[in-house]
Amino acid sequence: MKAFIYKIFSIKEKDSSIKKEIIGGILTFIAMCYVLPVNAGILSAMGMSSAGVFAMTAILSFITSMIMGLVANYPVALSSGMGLNAYITYSVSLGMGFTWQQSLIILTISGIAFFVLSLTPIRKRIVEAIPRDIQAIISAAFGAFICFVGLKGSGLVVTNSDTLVSLGSFSNPGLVISLVCTLVCFGLLMTKNKLLSNLAIPLSIVLAAVAGIVTSSIMGSSVTPEMNLPSFGGRFGLSGVEDVLLFGVFSKEGYHTLGEDLLTIVKNPASYLAIFSLCFVNLFNTTATLYAIGQDAGMMDENGKFVNYKKTIIADSTGALICGPCGTSTVTPFVESSIGIECGARTGLSTVITALLFLLAAFVYPVFSIFTAGSVTAPALIAVGGMIFVNNLKQVDMKNPIIGFTAFITILFSVLTYSISNAIGFGLIFYSVMMLLAGKGKEVGKAIYIISGAFVISFILTALI
């Protein structure tokens, strides 16, 4: 058996060992498992079952990570992407007025488009056609949006009729817990101890959950929903799955019809903007993550080109295809996989270990239910958003005024319009216009003009219809 495992994963050829792979897989799961309750907490905001989302997120993480481990043989685990879940909830469902069932159908359509793009040379060509600065700007704006969602969920940022937003009240214990744990998280991220730094997010979430439970116990009946404090709930097993699977048609309350939802989506021009944006953002989100960890994971050659590119994208494109019908948000590669890589993991065996742990977690929702409160998820969202923002913004050539202003507009609009799609649209439109008026129109690829034009048409149709 040992010889078979060494052979199937090429462990010796990649200078690793079964022990290193197992340890790497376990540590990667520990660093990633916060995704399960956080994703459940975010998607439940549009009316979905928290337990159902939790279970299906774990199951899809298992499926896609197994594909990556067995097919591509890379130490890269996958799960529901942070940010894409916030986009589908707050921009598509709550922002555009779609029900959660309609939002998942939109997600499914974008997933089909993404899957088709991934199986053809088109995905690679689109990525290569977009300048690296613009890719980094889009990813940075994505990070700012995630961070803002976390700040809002924690109560640190609240609505204000006079100034639109303002600082929340420090009399809210949930706000204080979020703030303290976010500070702890950022502090751990900066520590010289690599293990503590890599586990900063899950440790801060555990601290927030414990502090929240203790606070709830002390306050008792005086706890209000606005405090976003955690509480236990749910059943063991795959509870709630029928409520979210295949747009909820198997649920006890599944009275809606697929035909009516599809007709609503077709008639609403905003749905086309959402489909396009989901596909577009996922394209760069997955690519940026693979580039970030690709070198250390042995996924890239000495020229910076992906090795076994087609095998690598099978997992994330499959996740994008099936996530909507399965009742969760788009699955993407996770940069937390670098924790296992740093501990010596070099093959898909570590990813298989991580996948099996995700499958086990699918049956224990009550253990994780306390991690779905806003005060608990906030440190993770703020930290993840901050890391995405910083890591991408530093790659932007701010000495170029056109690039600098494009970054400014895109990032600002992502927060102020509470929409990544609007941010991408305005950012690309401003970039195209500035390049044309600066006499550099020929330096802009056709793909940029086509995408910018599509956004202009979409904005016009949204206003007129």
Side-chain angles (χ1 to χ4, degrees), residues 388-409:
I388 294 174
F389 178 84
V390 172
N391 291 336
N392 284 280
L393 192 64
K394 68 183 180 182
Q395 300 177 39
V396 178
D397 181 15
M398 287 298 187
K399 294 180 181 178
N400 183 331
I402 293 178
I403 294 297
F405 277 110
T406 301
F408 170 72
I409 291 295

Side-chain angles (χ1 to χ4, degrees), residues 399-403 431-445 449:
K399 294 180 181 178
N400 183 331
I402 293 178
I403 294 297
Y431 172 73
S432 300
V433 171
M434 286 188 290
M435 289 293 283
L436 281 169
L437 295 180
K440 300 180 179 180
K442 293 182 179 180
E443 297 178 20
V444 180
Y449 287 128

Side-chain angles (χ1 to χ4, degrees), residues 180-203:
V180 172
C181 292
T182 299
L183 289 172
V184 170
C185 184
F186 276 93
L188 291 175
L189 284 171
M190 299 303 121
T191 184
K192 293 181 179 180
N193 187 308
K194 281 191 175 182
L195 183 60
L196 284 177
S197 178
N198 288 330
L199 297 178
I201 292 176
L203 287 175

Side-chain angles (χ1 to χ4, degrees), residues 147-453:
C147 184
F148 189 71
V149 169
L151 291 170
K152 186 174 180 292
S154 69
L156 279 164
V157 174
V158 295
T159 56
N160 186 297
S161 58
D162 298 320
T163 61
L164 295 182
V165 293
S166 62
L167 184 67
S169 172
F170 283 94
S171 62
N172 179 356
L175 182 156
V176 176
I177 290 171
S178 297
L179 180 59
V180 172
C181 292
T182 299
L183 289 172
V184 170
C185 184
F186 276 93
L188 291 175
L189 284 171
M190 299 303 121
T191 184
K192 293 181 179 180
N193 187 308
K194 281 191 175 182
L195 183 60
L196 284 177
S197 178
N198 288 330
L199 297 178
I201 292 176
L203 287 175
S204 64
I205 288 180
V206 170
L207 178 61
V210 172
I213 290 295
V214 171
T215 302
S216 296
S217 301
I218 294 174
M219 295 184 66
S221 60
S222 59
V223 173
T224 62
E226 291 76 19
M227 295 178 183
N228 289 320
L229 293 174
S231 60
F232 288 99
R235 308 187 309 273
F236 284 94
L238 298 179
S239 59
V241 168
E242 70 280 359
D243 295 324
V244 301
L245 189 64
L246 197 59
F247 322 120
V249 297
F250 298 120
S251 67
K252 296 177 181 177
E253 296 81 19
Y255 301 121
H256 73 284
T257 64
L258 182 60
E260 290 178 359
D261 285 335
L262 283 171
L263 188 62
T264 299
I265 291 169
V266 171
K267 287 183 176 180
N268 193 336
S271 61
Y272 301 104
L273 177 62
I275 292 168
F276 179 75
S277 298
L278 279 165
C279 190
F280 196 64
V281 171
N282 192 30
L283 184 67
F284 292 111
N285 186 41
T286 54
T287 304
T289 302
L290 290 174
Y291 269 114
I293 61 179
Q295 198 68 53
D296 292 335
M299 301 168 67
M300 304 173 76
D301 60 23
E302 60 276 6
N303 298 316
K305 301 291 184 179
F306 279 107
V307 179
N308 294 326
Y309 174 77
K310 290 184 178 180
K311 289 184 178 180
T312 303
I313 64 173
I314 285 176
D316 67 35
S317 59
T318 300
L321 180 66
I322 64 176
C323 63
C326 289
T328 186
S329 55
T330 305
V331 174
T332 67
F334 262 69
V335 73
E336 280 84 353
S337 300
S338 60
I339 296 172
I341 295 170
E342 288 182 6
C343 294
R346 293 293 181 272
T347 76
L349 177 58
S350 67
T351 311
V352 169
I353 298 299
T354 302
L356 292 172
L357 290 173
F358 269 121
L359 181 61
L360 180 64
F363 297 89
V364 291
Y365 174 72
V367 176
F368 287 88
S369 62
I370 61 172
F371 298 102
T372 60
S375 60
V376 178
T377 60
L381 291 172
I382 295 170
V384 169
M387 287 189 293
I388 294 174
F389 178 84
V390 172
N391 291 336
N392 284 280
L393 192 64
K394 68 183 180 182
Q395 300 177 39
V396 178
D397 181 15
M398 287 298 187
K399 294 180 181 178
N400 183 331
I402 293 178
I403 294 297
F405 277 110
T406 301
F408 170 72
I409 291 295
T410 307
I411 294 168
L412 194 65
F413 270 68
S414 71
V415 175
L416 295 184
T417 68
Y418 210 62
S419 169
I420 285 294
S421 59
N422 288 337
I424 294 172
F426 279 103
L428 291 177
I429 291 169
F430 270 78
Y431 172 73
S432 300
V433 171
M434 286 188 290
M435 289 293 283
L436 281 169
L437 295 180
K440 300 180 179 180
K442 293 182 179 180
E443 297 178 20
V444 180
K446 291 181 181 179
I448 294 288
Y449 287 128
I450 293 172
I451 294 170
S452 299

